Amino acid sequence: MYIFISHSSKDAREAAKLCAVLEENGSQCFLAPRDIRSGYEYAEEIINGIDRSDLMVLMLSQASNQSPHVLREVERAVSRSVPIIVYKLEEVCLIKSMEYFLMTHQWLNAQSGGEYTQLAECVKEREGKASEAAGPGSKGHFDEIRKFSFRWGRIAVIFLLLAVLAGMAIVIPRSISDTTPELGEEITFGRYNNAPIVWRVLNISEDGSDAVLISRDILTMKAFDAPESGKYNYDGDINYWTKNSAADKDLEIQERVRGSSQWENSTIRTWLNSDQEVVKYQGQAPVSTAMSNGQNGYHNEPGFLHEFTEEEKRRIQETEINTGTNGLSEEEVNVTTDKVYLLARDELVWFDRAGMSVLAEPAGTAVEQDETKWYQTYSQELGVATFYWWLRNPVETASSRCYMVSNGYGEDRITSENAGMEGFGIRPALTLKLK
């Protein structure tokens, strides 16, 4: 039997233990990132793993309940009529989307001591019943169970339709136009990459007139700024890659060959605030050849606001943004007016007040479009689903380094990188008019 183990990266150790027990009992398991083949697309490997599975075991925890990646895996299994065993690691109040997909599947509670014998026996029992149902000469796959799951899937769809007709609340990210949102709530507003953007409410003004939203997911992987030299760590034929080069000591050279960390001058600020199909950049445009790996150029990409409707753009409040400065500036604070922006370090306190984690996972389209594959290297290979995303603050003692939120793998939640590094995440924020 081929079993897909769906789990949050935070439960990776438990998933590895379960995998060992199941394989000792004769099953073959798909466990990410262990079974992601080198050189293959991560998302494609996940889909193929689910599609060829006879059974999915979902390791349900608070982390997997909140994981959009796990939800997509469960949704794929249901759509392909792959039966699911829900193995509950802890008490969880399911989000509504997860509750909908799991309401017809078998549940088991985790045993004390981290034993998985009960689950292994259940898998064996299912395999035996499937073989009997298939009859003599069969290969023992889950054909009958798949049919059973498919019938229940149809019933679930009927249940959903009846719920809508009866006026029951089906919780999905709702339109901002419905009612005044609450902190931490997910809402849809605008579009990017031909898909609705899901935001989370991060802060609401005291008078309730506006709210700060931040994208739930990392929407894209882009450099903060394109170096004016046009080639990362080069100025003409002069090479600044060596350690302790002039670019490490001279802040003007550093900014020129590694990108500017000043928010007001950055190419990412220009892109985020543009609604044009062809974005006009001042100075060096963000072409691939200007980036550290020569990848992820976005000079030909329409502005971030290009797919927003006129009404949606009118709902966005132009906001006065205060941002710290880098080592080249004589000012302590720069003031800009923006519709869309990146968060600053001191604004991360809003996450605590809203009861939200600062960690974020990239959207599937962001991973697919990223040419650097740094997400796989810096997160997935470590068993971590979350990833780095840029803040708008410059490092005060440098001219090219910007702060960013890390992937949560180590102790430090804040780190920094050079502005011309193109494989890190963008989580746009905006201020929305509520009245």
Side-chain angles (χ1 to χ4, degrees):
M1 181 180 299
Y2 195 79
I3 302 172
F4 186 98
I5 301 176
S6 179
H7 67 287
S8 163
S9 59
K10 296 180 181 179
D11 302 318
R13 289 184 180 179
E14 291 299 316
K17 292 179 185 177
L18 169 61
C19 180
V21 171
L22 292 177
E23 291 184 340
E24 286 172 4
N25 281 270
S27 296
Q28 183 182 355
C29 296
F30 183 100
L31 180 67
R34 184 195 71 172
D35 296 311
I36 302 296
R37 294 173 295 175
S38 177
Y40 286 76
E41 291 288 342
Y42 193 92
E44 182 179 357
E45 289 287 275
I46 292 291
I47 289 175
N48 290 338
I50 295 171
D51 288 354
R52 66 179 291 204
S53 295
D54 299 309
L55 175 71
M56 173 182 281
V57 174
L58 168 61
M59 304 193 74
L60 184 61
S61 64
Q62 296 289 355
S64 61
N65 182 46
Q66 297 292 333
S67 170
H69 289 299
V70 172
L71 179 61
R72 284 193 285 269
E73 290 170 358
V74 171
E75 182 178 9
R76 180 72 180 187
V78 171
S79 70
R80 303 295 290 183
S81 299
V82 176
I84 301 172
I85 293 179
V86 183
Y87 193 71
K88 189 168 67 172
L89 298 175
E90 57 187 339
E91 290 300 322
V92 175
C93 181
L94 290 180
I95 62 172
K96 292 297 182 180
S97 298
M98 193 73 82
E99 182 180 355
Y100 166 65
F101 287 120
L102 298 180
M103 60 187 174
T104 63
H105 294 277
Q106 183 176 0
W107 286 61
L108 291 175
N109 290 322
Q111 295 170 281
S112 60
E115 300 293 335
Y116 295 102
T117 53
Q118 179 190 15
L119 179 56
E121 290 172 1
C122 180
V123 170
K124 279 287 186 184
E125 182 181 349
R126 277 175 168 258
E127 185 175 19
K129 289 181 178 179
S131 298
E132 291 174 8
S138 75
K139 295 181 179 179
H141 288 297
F142 268 162
D143 293 339
E144 292 301 315
I145 294 181
R146 286 178 187 271
K147 291 177 183 177
F148 175 80
S149 177
F150 180 69
R151 288 195 295 268
W152 273 108
R154 292 162 111 187
I155 293 172
V157 171
I158 294 171
F159 178 84
L160 176 63
L161 292 173
L162 290 174
V164 172
L165 291 173
M168 294 176 63
I170 305 298
V171 178
I172 57 175
R174 63 175 176 81
S175 168
I176 187 62
S177 60
D178 297 338
T179 57
T180 301
E182 297 180 358
L183 286 177
E185 185 177 353
E186 293 186 359
I187 59 173
T188 57
F189 180 75
R191 298 177 68 85
Y192 176 61
N193 273 340
N194 297 315
I197 303 173
V198 179
W199 306 80
R200 297 198 71 183
V201 181
L202 188 59
N203 189 48
I204 299 176
S205 62
E206 291 184 5
D207 62 0
S209 62
D210 54 60
V212 175
L213 310 183
I214 186 167
S215 65
R216 181 190 63 188
D217 305 319
I218 293 169
L219 298 185
T220 184
M221 313 294 197
K222 285 179 168 53
F224 187 90
D225 186 62
E228 283 298 314
S229 66
K231 186 177 181 181
Y232 189 87
N233 260 342
Y234 277 88
D235 194 358
D237 294 329
I238 304 175
N239 182 349
Y240 293 102
W241 278 104
T242 58
K243 189 176 181 180
N244 296 322
S245 71
D248 295 302
K249 304 167 186 176
D250 188 319
L251 295 188
E252 291 185 354
I253 296 176
Q254 182 183 123
E255 182 181 69
R256 176 168 174 76
V257 300
R258 296 175 184 170
S260 173
S261 59
Q262 296 281 62
W263 165 250
E264 72 274 17
N265 300 328
S266 65
T267 49
I268 197 64
R269 177 185 174 227
T270 302
W271 178 76
L272 285 171
N273 282 276
S274 175
D275 63 358
Q276 300 300 304
E277 186 172 2
V278 179
V279 182
K280 296 180 180 179
Y281 294 94
Q282 297 294 323
Q284 176 61 55
V287 296
S288 295
T289 52
M291 308 307 177
S292 64
N293 271 29
Q295 297 171 311
N296 289 11
Y298 53 100
H299 67 293
N300 284 332
E301 183 177 342
F304 175 69
L305 294 172
H306 181 64
E307 294 182 45
F308 283 59
T309 67
E310 292 301 318
E311 173 59 26
E312 287 169 337
K313 286 185 284 188
R314 282 193 291 268
R315 292 289 303 274
I316 301 174
Q317 175 71 54
E318 285 196 328
T319 306
E320 188 175 279
I321 300 294
N322 296 321
T323 307
T325 56
N326 67 19
L328 285 177
S329 177
E330 297 179 357
E331 306 293 332
E332 291 185 3
V333 176
N334 281 326
V335 181
T336 58
T337 301
D338 299 294
K339 283 194 167 186
V340 187
Y341 46 92
L342 302 179
L343 288 186
R345 272 187 84 172
D346 58 359
E347 293 167 345
L348 296 180
V349 296
W350 289 339
F351 283 90
D352 290 332
R353 295 171 186 170
M356 294 164 50
S357 170
V358 299
L359 301 179
E361 300 179 24
T365 52
V367 177
E368 292 169 5
Q369 290 180 337
D370 176 33
E371 297 172 331
T372 70
K373 309 304 178 188
W374 290 354
Y375 175 57
Q376 179 176 338
T377 302
Y378 294 127
S379 287
Q380 292 175 332
E381 290 181 3
L382 299 173
V384 178
T386 53
F387 194 53
Y388 299 84
W389 52 279
W390 293 104
L391 299 171
R392 69 174 187 269
N393 301 79
V395 174
E396 297 82 353
T397 56
S399 61
S400 67
R401 297 188 73 86
C402 293
Y403 288 111
M404 63 171 66
V405 175
S406 78
N407 64 354
Y409 182 74
E411 294 181 0
D412 296 333
R413 291 295 176 91
I414 303 296
T415 184
S416 65
E417 266 302 348
N418 286 314
M421 304 286 280
E422 71 270 40
F424 297 115
I426 301 296
R427 286 185 81 184
L430 55 82
T431 305
L432 202 70
K433 302 172 187 176
L434 300 179
K435 295 183 179 180

mmCIF file of all heavy atoms in Angstrom, residues 332-352:
data_model
loop_
_atom_site.group_PDB
_atom_site.id
_atom_site.type_symbol
_atom_site.label_atom_id
_atom_site.label_comp_id
_atom_site.label_asym_id
_atom_site.label_seq_id
_atom_site.Cartn_x
_atom_site.Cartn_y
_atom_site.Cartn_z
ATOM 1 N N GLU A 332 17.327 60.973 9.801
ATOM 2 C CA GLU A 332 17.030 59.795 10.610
ATOM 3 C C GLU A 332 15.806 59.056 10.084
ATOM 4 O O GLU A 332 15.698 57.839 10.227
ATOM 5 C CB GLU A 332 16.797 60.191 12.070
ATOM 6 C CG GLU A 332 18.041 60.685 12.782
ATOM 7 C CD GLU A 332 17.797 60.942 14.251
ATOM 8 O OE1 GLU A 332 16.657 60.680 14.713
ATOM 9 O OE2 GLU A 332 18.724 61.383 14.938
ATOM 10 N N VAL A 333 14.880 59.818 9.469
ATOM 11 C CA VAL A 333 13.642 59.223 8.974
ATOM 12 C C VAL A 333 13.326 59.805 7.606
ATOM 13 O O VAL A 333 13.484 61.005 7.383
ATOM 14 C CB VAL A 333 12.461 59.496 9.938
ATOM 15 C CG1 VAL A 333 11.162 58.961 9.352
ATOM 16 C CG2 VAL A 333 12.716 58.862 11.296
ATOM 17 N N ASN A 334 12.898 58.956 6.703
ATOM 18 C CA ASN A 334 12.378 59.403 5.414
ATOM 19 C C ASN A 334 10.866 59.231 5.401
ATOM 20 O O ASN A 334 10.343 58.233 5.910
ATOM 21 C CB ASN A 334 12.995 58.597 4.263
ATOM 22 C CG ASN A 334 14.390 59.071 3.928
ATOM 23 O OD1 ASN A 334 14.701 60.257 4.033
ATOM 24 N ND2 ASN A 334 15.255 58.151 3.537
ATOM 25 N N VAL A 335 10.162 60.176 4.814
ATOM 26 C CA VAL A 335 8.702 60.149 4.768
ATOM 27 C C VAL A 335 8.265 60.014 3.311
ATOM 28 O O VAL A 335 8.684 60.798 2.450
ATOM 29 C CB VAL A 335 8.088 61.416 5.396
ATOM 30 C CG1 VAL A 335 6.561 61.343 5.348
ATOM 31 C CG2 VAL A 335 8.565 61.588 6.842
ATOM 32 N N THR A 336 7.438 59.032 3.054
ATOM 33 C CA THR A 336 6.880 58.832 1.711
ATOM 34 C C THR A 336 5.369 58.676 1.827
ATOM 35 O O THR A 336 4.837 58.429 2.908
ATOM 36 C CB THR A 336 7.465 57.581 1.040
ATOM 37 O OG1 THR A 336 7.201 56.430 1.867
ATOM 38 C CG2 THR A 336 8.953 57.711 0.824
ATOM 39 N N THR A 337 4.684 58.806 0.713
ATOM 40 C CA THR A 337 3.237 58.559 0.658
ATOM 41 C C THR A 337 3.007 57.397 -0.302
ATOM 42 O O THR A 337 3.379 57.478 -1.471
ATOM 43 C CB THR A 337 2.481 59.804 0.172
ATOM 44 O OG1 THR A 337 2.753 60.890 1.066
ATOM 45 C CG2 THR A 337 0.979 59.533 0.152
ATOM 46 N N ASP A 338 2.413 56.334 0.215
ATOM 47 C CA ASP A 338 2.277 55.107 -0.565
ATOM 48 C C ASP A 338 0.881 54.515 -0.433
ATOM 49 O O ASP A 338 0.216 54.673 0.590
ATOM 50 C CB ASP A 338 3.286 54.059 -0.100
ATOM 51 C CG ASP A 338 4.717 54.513 -0.268
ATOM 52 O OD1 ASP A 338 5.142 54.673 -1.414
ATOM 53 O OD2 ASP A 338 5.390 54.725 0.759
ATOM 54 N N LYS A 339 0.465 53.829 -1.483
ATOM 55 C CA LYS A 339 -0.756 53.024 -1.410
ATOM 56 C C LYS A 339 -0.447 51.616 -0.916
ATOM 57 O O LYS A 339 -1.190 51.035 -0.140
ATOM 58 C CB LYS A 339 -1.428 52.963 -2.784
ATOM 59 C CG LYS A 339 -2.179 54.224 -3.163
ATOM 60 C CD LYS A 339 -3.094 53.973 -4.346
ATOM 61 C CE LYS A 339 -4.071 55.128 -4.518
ATOM 62 N NZ LYS A 339 -5.072 54.847 -5.584
ATOM 63 N N VAL A 340 0.642 51.059 -1.409
ATOM 64 C CA VAL A 340 1.070 49.722 -1.004
ATOM 65 C C VAL A 340 2.491 49.825 -0.486
ATOM 66 O O VAL A 340 3.308 50.574 -1.036
ATOM 67 C CB VAL A 340 0.998 48.725 -2.180
ATOM 68 C CG1 VAL A 340 1.288 47.298 -1.701
ATOM 69 C CG2 VAL A 340 -0.371 48.777 -2.860
ATOM 70 N N TYR A 341 2.805 49.080 0.556
ATOM 71 C CA TYR A 341 4.124 49.205 1.170
ATOM 72 C C TYR A 341 4.517 47.887 1.816
ATOM 73 O O TYR A 341 3.715 46.936 1.909
ATOM 74 C CB TYR A 341 4.129 50.330 2.213
ATOM 75 C CG TYR A 341 2.944 50.325 3.172
ATOM 76 C CD1 TYR A 341 3.012 49.651 4.384
ATOM 77 C CD2 TYR A 341 1.754 50.985 2.853
ATOM 78 C CE1 TYR A 341 1.931 49.636 5.252
ATOM 79 C CE2 TYR A 341 0.672 50.982 3.717
ATOM 80 C CZ TYR A 341 0.764 50.308 4.919
ATOM 81 O OH TYR A 341 -0.311 50.282 5.776
ATOM 82 N N LEU A 342 5.749 47.806 2.242
ATOM 83 C CA LEU A 342 6.214 46.708 3.078
ATOM 84 C C LEU A 342 6.197 47.172 4.526
ATOM 85 O O LEU A 342 6.311 48.370 4.798
ATOM 86 C CB LEU A 342 7.633 46.285 2.683
ATOM 87 C CG LEU A 342 7.836 45.841 1.228
ATOM 88 C CD1 LEU A 342 9.302 45.476 0.994
ATOM 89 C CD2 LEU A 342 6.932 44.674 0.880
ATOM 90 N N LEU A 343 6.069 46.239 5.447
ATOM 91 C CA LEU A 343 6.043 46.608 6.863
ATOM 92 C C LEU A 343 7.431 47.009 7.343
ATOM 93 O O LEU A 343 8.450 46.622 6.762
ATOM 94 C CB LEU A 343 5.537 45.450 7.706
ATOM 95 C CG LEU A 343 4.052 45.103 7.620
ATOM 96 C CD1 LEU A 343 3.719 44.027 8.636
ATOM 97 C CD2 LEU A 343 3.168 46.322 7.837
ATOM 98 N N ALA A 344 7.455 47.773 8.433
ATOM 99 C CA ALA A 344 8.695 48.135 9.104
ATOM 100 C C ALA A 344 8.866 47.259 10.351
ATOM 101 O O ALA A 344 7.909 46.646 10.834
ATOM 102 C CB ALA A 344 8.684 49.616 9.497
ATOM 103 N N ARG A 345 10.074 47.210 10.876
ATOM 104 C CA ARG A 345 10.338 46.369 12.055
ATOM 105 C C ARG A 345 9.442 46.729 13.223
ATOM 106 O O ARG A 345 8.910 45.853 13.900
ATOM 107 C CB ARG A 345 11.801 46.523 12.494
ATOM 108 C CG ARG A 345 12.755 45.587 11.830
ATOM 109 C CD ARG A 345 14.137 45.668 12.427
ATOM 110 N NE ARG A 345 14.275 44.851 13.623
ATOM 111 C CZ ARG A 345 15.432 44.633 14.237
ATOM 112 N NH1 ARG A 345 16.538 45.185 13.782
ATOM 113 N NH2 ARG A 345 15.494 43.871 15.306
ATOM 114 N N ASP A 346 9.288 48.052 13.481
ATOM 115 C CA ASP A 346 8.514 48.449 14.653
ATOM 116 C C ASP A 346 7.019 48.178 14.481
ATOM 117 O O ASP A 346 6.256 48.232 15.451
ATOM 118 C CB ASP A 346 8.752 49.926 15.003
ATOM 119 C CG ASP A 346 8.402 50.881 13.867
ATOM 120 O OD1 ASP A 346 7.991 50.407 12.783
ATOM 121 O OD2 ASP A 346 8.529 52.102 14.060
ATOM 122 N N GLU A 347 6.577 47.885 13.253
ATOM 123 C CA GLU A 347 5.171 47.569 13.023
ATOM 124 C C GLU A 347 4.858 46.090 13.240
ATOM 125 O O GLU A 347 3.691 45.689 13.216
ATOM 126 C CB GLU A 347 4.770 47.993 11.609
ATOM 127 C CG GLU A 347 4.780 49.500 11.423
ATOM 128 C CD GLU A 347 4.692 49.944 9.971
ATOM 129 O OE1 GLU A 347 4.900 49.107 9.063
ATOM 130 O OE2 GLU A 347 4.427 51.144 9.739
ATOM 131 N N LEU A 348 5.884 45.280 13.492
ATOM 132 C CA LEU A 348 5.654 43.857 13.743
ATOM 133 C C LEU A 348 4.911 43.610 15.053
ATOM 134 O O LEU A 348 4.363 42.527 15.262
ATOM 135 C CB LEU A 348 6.987 43.102 13.739
ATOM 136 C CG LEU A 348 7.744 43.083 12.405
ATOM 137 C CD1 LEU A 348 9.055 42.305 12.550
ATOM 138 C CD2 LEU A 348 6.898 42.471 11.291
ATOM 139 N N VAL A 349 4.881 44.618 15.938
ATOM 140 C CA VAL A 349 4.115 44.465 17.185
ATOM 141 C C VAL A 349 2.629 44.270 16.893
ATOM 142 O O VAL A 349 1.896 43.729 17.722
ATOM 143 C CB VAL A 349 4.315 45.688 18.114
ATOM 144 C CG1 VAL A 349 5.764 45.796 18.547
ATOM 145 C CG2 VAL A 349 3.847 46.974 17.438
ATOM 146 N N TRP A 350 2.175 44.719 15.723
ATOM 147 C CA TRP A 350 0.769 44.538 15.360
ATOM 148 C C TRP A 350 0.398 43.059 15.308
ATOM 149 O O TRP A 350 -0.738 42.689 15.577
ATOM 150 C CB TRP A 350 0.491 45.196 14.006
ATOM 151 C CG TRP A 350 0.514 46.696 14.030
ATOM 152 C CD1 TRP A 350 0.354 47.500 15.116
ATOM 153 C CD2 TRP A 350 0.691 47.575 12.910
ATOM 154 N NE1 TRP A 350 0.425 48.829 14.750
ATOM 155 C CE2 TRP A 350 0.624 48.910 13.399
ATOM 156 C CE3 TRP A 350 0.902 47.379 11.555
ATOM 157 C CZ2 TRP A 350 0.757 50.023 12.577
ATOM 158 C CZ3 TRP A 350 1.032 48.480 10.726
ATOM 159 C CH2 TRP A 350 0.959 49.788 11.228
ATOM 160 N N PHE A 351 1.358 42.201 14.937
ATOM 161 C CA PHE A 351 1.068 40.767 14.870
ATOM 162 C C PHE A 351 0.699 40.231 16.250
ATOM 163 O O PHE A 351 -0.251 39.453 16.398
ATOM 164 C CB PHE A 351 2.265 40.009 14.313
ATOM 165 C CG PHE A 351 2.430 40.130 12.834
ATOM 166 C CD1 PHE A 351 3.188 41.146 12.278
ATOM 167 C CD2 PHE A 351 1.833 39.220 11.971
ATOM 168 C CE1 PHE A 351 3.347 41.266 10.900
ATOM 169 C CE2 PHE A 351 1.976 39.330 10.597
ATOM 170 C CZ PHE A 351 2.737 40.354 10.062
ATOM 171 N N ASP A 352 1.450 40.628 17.273
ATOM 172 C CA ASP A 352 1.152 40.181 18.636
ATOM 173 C C ASP A 352 -0.222 40.672 19.078
ATOM 174 O O ASP A 352 -1.001 39.923 19.672
ATOM 175 C CB ASP A 352 2.218 40.687 19.604
ATOM 176 C CG ASP A 352 3.550 39.988 19.395
ATOM 177 O OD1 ASP A 352 3.538 38.825 18.930
ATOM 178 O OD2 ASP A 352 4.595 40.597 19.695
#
